[in-house]
Amino acid sequence: MKTSDRVFVAGHNGLVGSAVIDLLKKKGFKNLITVEKKKIDLRNYNKLEYYFRKKKIDYMVMSAARAGGIIANSRNQKDFFLENIEIQNSLLKLALKKKIKRTIFLGTSCIYPKFTKIPIKESSLLSGKLEKTNQCYAIAKIAGIKLCEALKEDYKLDIICLMPTNVYGNNDNFNKVNGHVIPAIITKVEEAKREKKKKVNLLGTGKPLREFIHAEDLASAILFSLKIKKKIIQKQFGYKLPILNVGTNQEFTIKKLAELISKYLSFNGKILFDKKSPDGTFRKKLDSSLINKLGWLPNIHFKYGLKKVIENRKN
Ligand SMILES: NC(=O)c1ccc[n+]([C@@H]2O[C@H](COP(=O)([O-])OP(=O)(O)OC[C@H]3O[C@@H](n4cnc5c(N)ncnc54)[C@H](OP(=O)(O)O)[C@@H]3O)[C@@H](O)[C@H]2O)c1
């Protein structure tokens, strides 16, 4: 891979896409391609294909998706299902049409069964029932992986599927209803502090465990995957589709997470949990030893990364 290669980052304004753009720029990539959603809705393959008809793409990062936390997922199942399937179908058809040299497909740890051996290995895919609250999102992502598999097996298209754990970072969606757990709790605690409340109410029991990765670390795993030599991939996976978990081994209970956020925001009120609301999967720590053995390791310690995200909000 050369810094003159043309890299299309789909979803460049999002949490992950923006971190990928920042990293590629920092590494000297000069030909980054981005398309605003206002101009082309990625669900519309015909428009997308027409837009790129005279443009070359060497590499593609699929960081466009309909993503969100437990409430967003469970209240908008149809949209999470259709939008993700339509975006990934369109982008993968484009990869085939343009003979893109390597595509990075982003899945999620939600694709794995609700009850499975921890840490979760890539081989647990489709070995059990999914968590109900995000099953439409998970099934859409699994359909994407299966399409990647078909394109790899039938057309020799070079695709790597990454399964990141929960991502956090500066460019997150801080909506307290639709956001993921970290930004949603930050916003709720900020609000409680601003309104001088003596307590903050959070969802679930606080007992589930979550593993977190900073968007900058995920971006480094994406660049690492774009660059892995073909012969190394072939040695590891033969002609099978490479699927790699991307985690950090840094796991906390939601209660501990809320305590850390309160501490960094200097909120001294009580943290209360609404035990009637859903918890989601209890634990989904990934086994990331495969990508670690290939040579990628995370860099950002969770408490440091979280503190930085909160400091960034204050500025
Ligand atoms: N965040 C996590 O915790 C997490 C964990 C595991 C895996 N992932 C995966 O990582 C990838 C990136 O997630 P993220 O957290 O960065 O999501 P995000 O912040 O919501 O960003 C998604 C981006 O996709 C764009 N997009 C959505 N629908 C589109 C459409 N129809 N046409 C064009 N652009 C569209 C959005 O554009 P607008 O901003 O204009 O809407 C946004 O910029 C996703 O595949 C997600 O499943 C995320």
Side-chain angles (χ1 to χ4, degrees), residues 11 13-17 37 40-43 62-65 67 87 106-108 137 141 164-167 180:
N13 290 319
L15 172 62
V16 178
K37 189 171 154 189
I40 297 176
D41 185 320
L42 294 173
R43 291 174 291 178
M62 292 175 58
S63 42
I87 292 170
L106 290 180
T108 157
Y137 173 60
K141 290 285 185 182
T165 188
N166 304 272
V167 190
H180 284 104

Side-chain angles (χ1 to χ4, degrees), residues 123-186:
S123 54
S124 340
L125 179 62
L126 290 175
S127 64
K129 283 194 176 169
L130 297 166
E131 154 64 25
K132 175 90 175 75
T133 50
N134 54 24
Q135 66 176 350
C136 280
Y137 173 60
I139 286 178
K141 290 285 185 182
I142 294 171
I145 296 169
K146 289 293 154 191
L147 178 54
C148 292
E149 206 169 86
L151 293 172
K152 165 95 182 168
E153 286 174 11
D154 299 348
Y155 299 91
K156 313 268 175 290
L157 204 62
D158 188 332
I159 307 176
I160 296 182
C161 292
L162 298 182
M163 300 305 130
T165 188
N166 304 272
V167 190
Y168 71 101
N170 291 333
N171 199 17
D172 217 333
N173 167 11
F174 285 85
N175 183 297
K176 66 179 180 185
V177 180
N178 293 328
H180 284 104
V181 60
I182 291 186
I185 295 182
I186 291 178

Side-chain angles (χ1 to χ4, degrees), residues 95-111:
L96 183 63
K97 173 88 183 180
K98 303 295 289 181
K99 299 186 174 62
I100 293 179
K101 289 181 194 163
R102 179 168 293 164
T103 296
I104 305 298
F105 175 90
L106 290 180
T108 157
S109 55
C110 307
I111 59 155

